[in-house]
Amino acid sequence: MKVLGIESSCDETGVALYDTERGLLGHAVHTQVAMHEAYGGVVPELASRDHIRRLIPLLERVLDEARCTRRDIDAIAYTAGPGLAGALLVGASFAESLAMALGVPALPVHHLEGHLLSPLLADDAPAFPFIALLVSGGHTQLMRVTRVGAYQLLGESLDDAAGEAFDKTAKLLGLGYPGGPALAALADSGTPGRYKLPRPMLNSGDLSFSFSGLKTAVLTASRVRELSATDKADLAAEFQEAVTEVLAAKAVAACRQHRLSALVVAGGVGANRRLRQRMDEAMAKIGGRVFYPELDLCTDNGAMIAFCGAQRLLQGDAPASTQGAFVVRPRWPLDQLS
Ligand code: KG4
Ligand code: ZN
């Protein structure tokens, strides 16, 4: 069975074709970073318009790569939320109309479920049950994953998501958009410890996170005096240490509490090198292991959506065919999947 995946929830257009027997046959992503850069962040209306322009060429590229035609598609999975309403509507209406034209089912998929299952696309995939740490631009959540479709929220950020904290702090340090990867690169050249930043909620005794105070602490440090290039690198390094220390400690705590040794780290911040290093070390200490998606599948992509739709179909619990009537859900908690 071949499932086409369509992702358009934010500033990446992703299309992929996943075959339940042969794996990923093709996948292509167009990132809008260059377009939004001038504005210092994602402009929703521009994002929607760009998704419209990209979807058909990306579909053609993926079908070529997969050596398939539209007629080979058995089902179409698309991101129905959470995300930007207009951007979601572009992907949803594209997927629904193509599905109607081809006479195949269309499956609305939860974006975070896609991220969460993305490590299962790798050759060396974890077995259920496992703990998942979702760290993206919009979410920081710890979940217990019992099987495809069964997700229990254990804790989440009370304010900024980890990626959001990276992005906002990067902006404060003059690194522009998108800040996460730029801040991480700067951090790698700095020395942590010269500045002292808090480790928010490290000892709170629960699995909640809070990252907005870190950004404020960086702002305060930057107001004391004009920051030199070295100061900025050292602040970035300390910021990265603070975020990754808290993320690693809480993820390990979740694994211990649930007596699970497999941890999945997914979402854009999962691409962070220091985070991976810390997670690997912390999990090794308790005899556990961390599973990551392939690096190019950490950030938004269509492959995770196609894979998620395929798993739902295989399990027989795919949502009933929408028959062209669809809704998108810009806000959609993962533990409220129906
Ligand atoms: O999962 P994703 O592509 O989109 C959302 O669903 O949000 O995640 C994007 C987030 C952004 O906040 C970006 O700055 C962050 O992931 N990010 C990183 C790195 N690469 C991407 N943050 C820290 N270090 C990185 N290497
Ligand atoms: Zn995402």
Side-chain angles (χ1 to χ4, degrees):
M1 179 176 60
K2 293 184 182 64
V3 181
L4 185 75
I6 306 287
E7 157 62 33
S8 72
S9 66
C10 189
D11 56 351
E12 261 106 26
T13 322
V15 177
L17 191 63
Y18 176 79
D19 185 324
T20 49
E21 271 97 59
R22 292 163 56 207
L24 198 57
L25 300 182
H27 107 95
V29 174
H30 174 80
T31 175
Q32 303 177 349
V33 162
M35 185 181 75
H36 297 296
E37 207 166 14
Y39 306 94
V42 178
V43 184
E45 180 60 22
L46 294 182
S48 310
R49 291 175 190 214
D50 200 62
H51 287 307
I52 294 174
R53 275 193 291 272
R54 306 294 170 187
L55 277 167
I56 291 175
L58 283 173
L59 172 66
E60 282 168 358
R61 226 167 89 194
V62 167
L63 289 176
D64 274 356
E65 189 188 335
R67 296 176 193 280
C68 290
T69 71
R70 291 176 194 187
R71 292 280 152 207
D72 295 317
I73 299 169
D74 297 304
I76 303 180
Y78 64 91
T79 303
L84 300 169
L88 290 167
L89 279 168
V90 173
S93 43
F94 177 80
E96 290 281 355
S97 29
L98 184 58
M100 192 179 269
L102 296 174
V104 299
L107 311 167
V109 162
H110 193 293
H111 179 79
L112 295 180
E113 184 178 19
H115 273 303
L116 201 143
L117 298 179
S118 60
L120 302 181
L121 269 163
D123 292 336
D124 179 23
F128 296 109
F130 55 78
I131 297 292
L133 173 69
L134 274 174
V135 269
S136 70
H139 296 83
T140 301
Q141 299 185 325
L142 275 164
M143 324 268 320
R144 183 195 153 93
V145 181
T146 311
R147 58 170 174 83
V148 172
Y151 313 111
Q152 180 194 357
L153 180 65
L154 305 177
E156 63 183 331
S157 178
L158 305 177
D159 42 54
D160 291 354
E164 190 179 0
F166 262 92
D167 294 337
K168 287 180 175 170
T169 303
K171 210 170 197 171
L172 283 175
L173 295 177
L175 298 177
Y177 154 90
L183 185 66
L186 182 64
D188 289 344
S189 71
T191 310
R194 186 161 79 81
Y195 287 96
K196 298 261 181 289
L197 293 180
R199 305 305 193 247
M201 301 192 76
L202 183 61
N203 299 311
S204 61
D206 60 12
L207 298 173
S208 305
F209 303 90
S210 166
F211 292 114
S212 69
L214 275 175
K215 165 196 68 198
T216 315
V218 170
L219 181 65
T220 308
S222 71
R223 280 193 175 143
V224 175
R225 64 188 165 93
E226 182 135 6
L227 298 175
S228 68
T230 312
D231 293 340
K232 285 185 183 177
D234 291 350
L235 255 178
E238 176 67 5
F239 171 84
Q240 182 171 260
E241 286 303 295
V243 173
T244 55
E245 184 177 339
V246 178
L247 289 173
K250 301 247 169 174
V252 167
C255 289
R256 291 177 87 114
Q257 281 171 25
H258 289 263
R259 298 180 198 285
L260 293 175
S261 61
L263 173 70
V264 154
V265 176
V269 185
N272 186 278
R273 197 191 50 80
R274 181 67 180 130
L275 178 68
R276 288 184 171 215
Q277 193 181 23
R278 283 201 110 123
M279 287 290 175
D280 291 343
E281 282 169 13
M283 284 300 288
K285 274 193 193 143
I286 62 161
R289 240 197 92 185
V290 194
F291 296 84
Y292 305 94
E294 302 287 344
L295 213 50
D296 65 334
L297 301 183
C298 273
T299 44
D300 292 347
N301 64 83
M304 65 184 194
I305 303 304
F307 179 77
C308 184
Q311 298 312 304
R312 290 293 193 134
L313 279 169
L314 286 175
Q315 210 173 263
D317 65 353
S321 180
T322 45
Q323 300 195 317
F326 62 92
V327 288
V328 294
R329 300 177 65 175
R331 288 179 185 277
W332 187 6
L334 184 54
D335 55 354
Q336 286 175 21
L337 273 184
S338 51

